[in-house]
Amino acid sequence: MKLNSIVIFCASSFGNTSVYKEQAAYVGKLLAERGIQLVYGGGRVGLMGTVANAALDAGGQVVGVIPHFLNSKEREHTGITKLITVETMHDRKRIMNEHADGVIALPGGFGTLEELFEMITWAQLGLHKKPVGLLNINGFYTHLIKFIDHMVDEGLLKSENRAMLLVGETIEDLLEKMANYDPPAVTKWIEKDEI
């Protein structure tokens, strides 16, 4: 699968350890070096701003998508290649999805998780066939991954749907998994015995 453009979901803050900022910068730089356009939330603060600035500094193309009401809170990035202003959070995710061939979540909070889970749910429902991945920087997502595996163990998530969420410890590893991603032929539909 050719990855020309990737959505990055991540925090609008830096977190308590410098490794998140360092890795966000590395991700932005690597995407630019590989000719992969960055699509992100449009802010200039926190990890969001870091990944965008690193991509720009390396000569990359950066598209930001931000709702009007977040302009003052996330301080939209006016120096990126293209800034798209939308009305709602749903519009933001829809347009980001339309502009990308895949999705990666870096460390973040509720917003990052909400965006990630909406994208993987859309994939599960067959609304897109793009790879969705977690970059598990410094073990940030290890507990979440264990919980998702617990959902499978408890019979509330099918193993084939669990397999749709790719995980990488390095950006290189994750990009390779995404490039080789083969979406399942069958999507999640209610079966007779589930009614």
Side-chain angles (χ1 to χ4, degrees):
M1 176 177 291
K2 178 70 172 159
L3 299 171
N4 296 309
S5 184
I6 290 180
V7 168
I8 297 289
F9 295 131
C10 60
S12 58
S13 58
F14 291 116
N16 294 331
T17 177
S18 62
V19 69
Y20 301 137
K21 183 177 180 181
E22 292 163 6
Q23 285 299 302
Y26 181 68
V27 167
K29 179 177 180 285
L30 185 67
L31 292 181
E33 288 174 349
R34 292 194 178 186
I36 301 172
Q37 177 178 258
L38 166 66
V39 181
Y40 84 117
R44 62 181 172 88
V45 296
L47 300 183
M48 291 173 65
T50 299
V51 72
N53 288 334
L56 291 167
D57 290 346
Q61 299 290 308
V62 178
V63 175
V65 185
I66 192 167
H68 287 289
F69 75 91
L70 284 181
N71 281 357
S72 62
K73 293 179 174 63
E74 292 185 355
R75 295 179 224 126
E76 74 275 12
H77 198 313
T78 57
I80 58 178
T81 311
K82 183 176 182 181
L83 181 66
I84 301 169
T85 305
V86 297
E87 291 300 320
T88 68
M89 294 293 281
H90 179 74
D91 289 338
R92 182 193 219 182
K93 286 172 288 191
R94 178 180 54 79
I95 290 171
M96 291 170 84
N97 179 56
E98 289 171 1
H99 279 78
D101 302 313
V103 174
I104 295 175
L106 304 185
F110 283 156
T112 300
L113 291 178
E114 185 271 332
E115 291 164 332
L116 168 73
F117 281 116
E118 183 149 5
M119 289 299 111
I120 196 67
T121 300
W122 289 3
Q124 179 179 260
L125 295 173
L127 299 177
H128 72 75
K129 295 188 178 296
K130 302 170 185 180
V132 178
L134 281 174
L135 185 55
N136 192 25
I137 297 170
N138 200 37
F140 182 80
Y141 283 117
T142 298
H143 294 294
L144 177 63
I145 294 162
K146 287 180 181 176
F147 178 69
I148 292 169
D149 290 337
H150 176 66
M151 294 163 72
V152 175
D153 293 342
E154 291 298 308
L156 298 170
L157 177 66
K158 293 181 179 177
S159 58
E160 56 266 30
N161 295 135
R162 161 64 184 90
M164 297 171 76
L165 182 60
L166 307 176
V167 178
E169 302 299 317
T170 67
I171 185 61
E172 292 89 350
D173 176 48
L174 186 54
L175 287 174
E176 182 176 350
K177 288 177 179 177
M178 293 175 75
N180 294 314
Y181 178 68
D182 186 19
V186 179
T187 56
K188 178 182 173 65
W189 298 109
I190 297 175
E191 298 173 7
K192 289 181 182 177
D193 64 353
E194 293 179 339
I195 297 174

